[in-house]
C-alpha cells in the first residue's frame, strides 16, 4: 500500500469508525461499497480494506447482496484501542471514561502488587525514571510531556506484573490516559497528590512491597474516578 493510499485508508477508516461508534450509523444500518467509494472519492479497493478492518473489530459484517451492516454494540471489540479512541471522541465520552477507569481500578492495583514481586531491576529503574519524568512535567501546562511519562509508567506496571492478560491492556490504558488529556478531561496541571502517588508506587515496586504498591495504585485509580465526577459528570 502506497503512502497516499495509506492516508486515504486511515481517513476513511476514522470517518466511518467515528460515525458507527457515535451512533450516527446505528446498528442495522447498511453501508454500500459503491456509495462509500463515491462519498470519499476512493477506489473500491480502499473501501474493501477499510471494511476488513471494521469487520476485525466486529463493528460491521458483510453480506452478499445486502452490503456492509453495522453490528449491535454488544458485538464490538470494545478493547480495540481504535474503537476506544473513536468512542472517546463522541458524545458518550463521560460514560466511556468512567467505564474504562473502573476497569483500570479493578486491574491496575493487582498488577502493581504482582509487579512488586516480579519486576526486573531494569523495569524498576524504568518505572522510577517515568515517575521522575512525571514530576518534571507536572507544572507549567506540559500535559503532552506528562502524558508520555504517565502512559509509559502504566505500561511498565502492567508488563512487570508477569501476567500476559494484564500486559495486553497496555494499549487500552494508553487510550484512556490520552483521551483524558486530548479531550480536556484533565486539570491544566496534574493533581500533585496523584503525581506523588506514582513516585511512591515506583518506590514500593523497587522495594518489593506488594501490599503498598497495590494500596497506592488503588488510590491513584480512585482519584481518577473522583476527577471524572468533577470534569466529566
Amino acid at each position: 500500500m502506497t503512502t497516499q493510499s495509506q492516508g486515504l485508508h486511515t481517513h476513511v477508516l476514522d470517518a466511518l469508525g467515528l460515525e458507527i461508534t457515535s451512533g450516527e450509523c446505528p446498528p442495522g444500518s447498511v453501508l454500500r461499497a459503491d456509495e462509500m467509494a463515491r462519498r470519499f472519492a476512493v477506489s473500491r479497493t480502499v473501501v474493501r480494506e477499510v471494511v476488513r478492518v471494521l469487520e476485525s473489530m466486529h463493528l460491521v459484517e458483510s453480506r452478499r447482496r445486502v452490503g456492509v451492516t453495522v453490528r449491535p454494540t454488544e458485538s464490538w471489540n470494545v478493547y480495540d484501542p481504535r474503537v476506544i479512541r473513536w468512542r472517546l471522541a463522541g458524545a458518550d465520552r463521560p460514560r466511556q471514561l468512567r467505564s474504562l477507569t473502573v476497569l483500570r481500578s479493578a486491574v491496575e492495583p493487582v498488577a502493581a502488587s504482582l509487579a512488586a514481586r516480579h519486576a526486573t531491576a531494569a523495569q524498576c529503574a524504568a518505572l522510577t525514571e517515568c515517575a521522575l519524568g512525571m514530576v518534571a512535567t507536572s507544572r507549567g501546562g506540559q500535559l503532552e510531556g506528562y502524558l508520555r511519562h504517565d502512559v509509559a509508567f502504566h505500561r511498565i506496571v502492567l508488563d512487570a506484573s508477569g501476567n500476559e492478560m494484564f500486559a495486553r491492556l497496555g494499549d487500552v490504558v494508553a487510550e484512556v490516559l490520552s483521551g483524558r488529556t486530548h479531550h480536556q478531561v484533565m486539570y491544566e496541571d496534574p493533581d500533585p497528590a496523584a503525581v506523588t502517588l506514582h513516585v511512591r508506587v515506583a518506590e514500593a515496586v523497587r522495594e518489593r512491597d506488594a501490599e503498598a504498591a497495590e494500596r497506592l495504585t488503588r488510590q491513584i485509580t480512585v482519584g481518577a474516578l473522583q476527577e471524572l465526577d468533577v470534569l466529566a459528570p
Side-chain angles (χ1 to χ4, degrees), residues 1 53 83 87 94 118 125-127 140 153 163 186 208-209:
M1 191 181 291
V53 175
V83 174
R87 297 182 87 183
H118 303 301
L127 199 61
F153 182 98
N163 183 300
M186 278 278 286
R208 306 301 181 189
D209 189 340

Side-chain angles (χ1 to χ4, degrees), residues 65-83:
R65 292 189 291 275
V66 174
V68 179
T69 306
V70 178
R71 299 184 66 178
T73 308
E74 55 267 25
S75 299
W76 299 353
N77 179 6
V78 294
Y79 289 102
D80 188 293
R82 286 167 296 189
V83 174

Side-chain angles (χ1 to χ4, degrees), residues 68-146:
V68 179
T69 306
V70 178
R71 299 184 66 178
T73 308
E74 55 267 25
S75 299
W76 299 353
N77 179 6
V78 294
Y79 289 102
D80 188 293
R82 286 167 296 189
V83 174
I84 292 172
R85 191 180 313 146
W86 294 331
R87 297 182 87 183
L88 289 179
D92 200 29
R93 181 183 308 131
R95 190 177 69 84
Q96 283 301 304
L97 279 172
R98 187 167 301 279
S99 176
L100 291 161
T101 304
V102 169
L103 173 66
R104 288 183 60 201
S105 69
V107 170
E108 291 195 76
V110 179
S113 175
L114 291 171
R117 296 181 175 94
H118 303 301
T120 64
Q123 287 172 324
C124 290
L127 199 61
T128 298
E129 183 178 350
C130 290
L132 294 177
M134 292 173 72
V135 172
T137 54
S138 63
R139 287 291 174 269
Q142 303 180 70
L143 285 181
E144 286 298 330
Y146 182 88

Side-chain angles (χ1 to χ4, degrees), residues 69 75 149-150 154 198 214 228:
T69 306
S75 299
H149 295 298
D150 196 12
H154 291 280
H198 283 78
E214 180 171 355
L228 291 182

Side-chain angles (χ1 to χ4, degrees), residues 36-89:
M36 288 187 282
R38 284 197 300 272
R39 175 187 169 191
F40 293 105
V42 297
S43 67
R44 290 176 66 92
T45 300
V46 170
V47 170
R48 282 195 296 270
E49 289 297 325
V50 168
V51 169
R52 273 198 281 268
V53 175
L54 294 174
E55 285 180 315
S56 74
M57 301 172 179
H58 301 170
L59 294 181
V60 302
E61 61 182 344
S62 298
R63 295 179 181 175
R64 293 186 63 184
R65 292 189 291 275
V66 174
V68 179
T69 306
V70 178
R71 299 184 66 178
T73 308
E74 55 267 25
S75 299
W76 299 353
N77 179 6
V78 294
Y79 289 102
D80 188 293
R82 286 167 296 189
V83 174
I84 292 172
R85 191 180 313 146
W86 294 331
R87 297 182 87 183
L88 289 179

